[in-house]
Amino acid sequence: MIKKFVSYVTPKKIKEYIQCLLKQVSNFKKLALNYGQWITIRDWSSVDKNGAPIPWYTYPTTEFLSHLNLSSFKVFEYGSGYSTLWWAARSKQVTSVEDDELWYKKIKCLLKSQNVEYLLKKNPQKYIAMATYDFDVFIVDGKYRRECLNHIVNL
């Protein structure tokens, strides 16, 4: 009875607002629990619900890539991080170039895989020129993005 009364007297805009809030709470709960977003937010590290490293890409992108067989692929990455760890577990080889020395040291400590060539290049021209044509996948997630993309396109 009260529910019907509240439904009857509540203005349409307030109902829509409440429905929107409930949907946001539901979405946050799904992301936080099913995808590990809460751990990522809490620890400032990009991980899934089990604590395994994932790229700092959108969840649909990571989900899509997770279903592909990438075991024979050679990956080149401008910029490093948890994506480097993720790609290393799924691909034949990863070459990752980083320009930030502190970040380089942090990620270097996390790398356990033998299939990763991890490089520090502070000089912008050397950093940009690192990619070569013999890679299957190129990730541009670091500095000088436009220049890096131009370099890759012109290989």
Side-chain angles (χ1 to χ4, degrees):
M1 177 90 161
I2 293 176
K3 193 174 184 180
K4 286 183 181 181
F5 176 76
V6 170
S7 178
Y8 179 74
V9 298
T10 305
K12 183 179 179 184
K13 288 283 187 193
I14 292 176
K15 286 183 197 175
E16 290 172 354
Y17 181 72
I18 291 170
Q19 288 173 340
C20 181
L21 287 176
L22 291 173
K23 187 174 182 179
Q24 289 177 353
V25 168
S26 173
N27 287 342
F28 176 76
K29 184 177 176 185
K30 287 175 190 168
L31 287 171
L33 300 178
N34 298 344
Y35 286 92
Q37 189 179 51
W38 176 247
I39 301 169
T40 294
I41 292 168
R42 184 191 68 204
D43 298 344
W44 198 246
S45 58
S46 188
V47 295
D48 66 14
K49 67 181 177 181
N50 300 316
I54 59 173
W56 208 294
Y57 309 154
T58 63
Y59 288 111
T61 299
T62 304
E63 186 78 21
F64 172 77
L65 291 171
S66 293
H67 293 293
L68 300 177
N69 179 1
L70 304 166
S71 61
S72 65
F73 284 57
K74 292 171 58 178
V75 177
F76 184 89
E77 213 183 16
Y78 285 108
S80 63
Y82 285 77
S83 60
T84 310
L85 305 171
W86 188 86
W87 282 104
R90 286 166 177 73
S91 64
K92 180 179 180 179
Q93 175 191 338
V94 178
T95 299
S96 186
V97 61
E98 180 59 56
D99 73 312
D100 182 310
E101 190 168 359
L102 290 176
W103 186 250
Y104 173 85
K105 288 177 181 178
K106 177 181 178 170
I107 299 304
K108 182 84 170 166
C109 290
L110 299 174
L111 284 171
K112 308 258 187 288
S113 181
Q114 299 297 317
N115 66 334
V116 178
E117 181 181 14
Y118 192 39
L119 308 165
L120 176 64
K121 297 292 179 188
K122 294 181 181 181
N123 178 289
Q125 287 75 30
K126 289 181 180 180
Y127 176 91
I128 294 164
M130 288 304 301
T132 61
Y133 67 89
D134 53 44
F135 289 93
D136 303 301
V137 177
F138 293 91
I139 309 297
V140 181
D141 191 22
K143 290 188 181 172
Y144 321 110
R145 292 178 184 202
R146 181 180 303 247
E147 295 86 346
C148 291
L149 287 168
N150 284 335
H151 175 72
I152 292 168
V153 168
N154 292 312
L155 287 176

